[in-house]
Amino acid sequence: MSHAPPQPTDLISQLLTDMRLHGVQYRRIQTGPTFGLGFPPKPGHAYFHYLAVGNAILRGADGSQHLLSAGDVVLVPRGEGHALLSGEDHPVQCLETIDAAPLGDAVSGIDTCPSTHPVPSAVLFHGCMVFDLGGMQGLSKLMPSVMLADGNATQFPGLLPMVDAMKREVCSGRIGYAGILARLADAVAAMIVRDWVERGCDGASGLVMAMRDPRLSLSLLALHRDPGRDWTVEALAAESNISRSVFADRFQTVIGTAPLRYVTELRMQLASQWLTHQSLSIELVAERLGYASQAAFSRAYKRVMGHSPGVIRRGRPLASP
């Protein structure tokens, strides 16, 4: 029985399957008619906003402005600083300096609505989390600084029910609702990223072009599915059904790095994910990624990431490499 060859879309599906949001901290924020909320830069993280009620202006780190209305969802994939305001000239207060009341596990509430206003003018659900794309972490660098989705738009037919479910979960306070929120946020973020990829990634090059390349995507898919295999340029070229020299030149031209360097960087990105979020031992990670010894793996990790894997295992804070 014959099987259809993998398609470029399989690699995109792998990206969405591997995507995770870790360490989600949610806030339910309700305000009066005027407000200015500042969100400081959080490298390595993403901000997620859902405006359930009211209107707001999102001002980006570069001064750009985006008008938001009820039902809109915002993903800030690189955690750049920004603000949400009721008006362009309203003063901004850093969100982290505003007292929050715990509403449950990983969820807190902020209420700046004056007592003279019994009904809040704006209700916002906000999350800050580690945005983990697994072996394709470099893709986040190509994404727009602000990604907007209108929950009522036809291009996101499944988005509105999910954000409505998030609203119900926060308001209900039922057992386990924080975990459900995290999974819903995973799905909503995946839909926003998928739409960006399907629209051509705003013309981004490099890895995105490779994902759409009918030859290179075959080798990339095989590599991402089995990163611990003893990969050579010849083996990768064979997956793409082209010669070694043509593959190497094409890979370097499209992605901007040599094939085996990409293999090493992919492995170290996965290693960081496994060590940080799955608490795997260094020995097991080295074995999974095909290294003959823990020492060989540690040397490669330090060369790419700028610090030894033991730093993660000892629980020390890390600077971005």
Side-chain angles (χ1 to χ4, degrees):
M1 181 178 179
S2 61
H3 296 279
Q7 300 298 313
T9 51
D10 294 341
L11 188 57
I12 298 172
S13 297
Q14 187 70 42
L15 160 67
L16 298 177
T17 299
D18 291 344
M19 191 179 78
R20 291 292 182 271
L21 305 178
H22 300 286
V24 179
Q25 294 293 321
Y26 279 104
R27 290 186 177 96
R28 183 184 69 191
I29 305 169
Q30 54 187 36
T31 75
T34 60
F35 58 89
L37 304 172
F39 301 85
K42 293 270 188 179
H45 291 65
Y47 281 110
F48 175 91
H49 303 300
Y50 166 50
L51 188 61
V53 175
N55 299 282
I57 298 172
L58 187 148
R59 186 169 65 207
D62 59 358
S64 61
Q65 295 189 359
H66 308 269
L67 300 179
L68 307 179
S69 57
D72 287 352
V73 177
V74 180
L75 181 68
V76 183
R78 293 189 296 279
E80 295 181 5
H82 59 283
L84 290 172
L85 312 112
S86 57
E88 293 183 24
D89 300 324
H90 197 279
V92 174
Q93 181 179 2
C94 179
L95 190 74
E96 296 182 355
T97 66
I98 303 175
D99 291 336
L103 300 177
D105 182 26
V107 182
S108 59
I110 291 176
D111 188 352
T112 64
C113 184
S115 58
T116 54
H117 294 265
V119 178
S121 299
V123 178
L124 171 74
F125 299 95
H126 150 70
C128 182
M129 66 287 288
V130 176
F131 188 39
D132 188 350
L133 291 172
M136 294 188 181
Q137 194 64 33
L139 192 62
S140 65
K141 299 176 183 177
L142 305 176
M143 294 178 179
S145 57
V146 175
M147 305 174 78
L148 302 176
D150 179 354
N152 299 304
T154 55
Q155 73 187 86
F156 296 101
L159 186 59
L160 184 58
M162 283 193 284
V163 292
D164 279 346
M166 294 179 71
K167 180 179 178 180
R168 289 195 301 272
E169 288 297 328
V170 168
C171 294
S172 70
R174 296 175 63 187
I175 295 174
Y177 77 105
I180 293 174
L181 275 172
R183 287 167 175 79
L184 286 168
D186 274 349
V188 171
M191 289 183 69
I192 294 173
V193 172
R194 178 180 64 184
D195 177 72
W196 176 70
V197 172
E198 288 179 341
R199 287 186 291 106
C201 305
D202 299 327
S205 58
L207 180 56
V208 174
M209 288 181 61
M211 290 168 64
R212 294 181 169 276
D213 187 299
R215 294 289 188 182
L216 291 183
S217 63
L218 298 178
S219 59
L220 285 172
L221 181 61
L223 171 58
H224 280 260
R225 284 178 170 172
D226 188 10
R229 179 176 160 185
D230 184 18
W231 288 106
T232 62
V233 177
E234 290 83 357
L236 289 167
E239 294 288 341
S240 290
N241 299 311
I242 53 180
S243 70
R244 180 191 185 283
S245 59
V246 170
F247 172 81
D249 288 344
R250 193 164 177 173
F251 197 99
Q252 178 75 49
T253 299
V254 173
I255 296 184
T257 189
L260 295 187
R261 180 174 177 81
Y262 181 90
V263 171
T264 301
E265 291 179 350
L266 166 66
R267 287 172 173 169
M268 297 309 108
Q269 290 166 359
L270 291 172
S272 181
Q273 174 187 342
W274 295 343
L275 291 167
T276 304
H277 302 300
Q278 298 184 26
S279 299
L280 299 185
S281 68
I282 296 175
E283 181 180 6
L284 180 56
V285 170
E287 180 182 339
R288 279 191 178 186
L289 293 176
Y291 286 88
S293 68
Q294 183 174 320
F297 162 72
S298 296
R299 287 193 297 271
Y301 189 95
K302 185 172 184 178
R303 185 171 64 250
V304 173
M305 307 302 287
H307 54 80
S308 70
V311 172
I312 295 178
R313 306 306 302 142
R314 290 191 293 271
R316 296 178 183 174
L318 301 179
S320 298

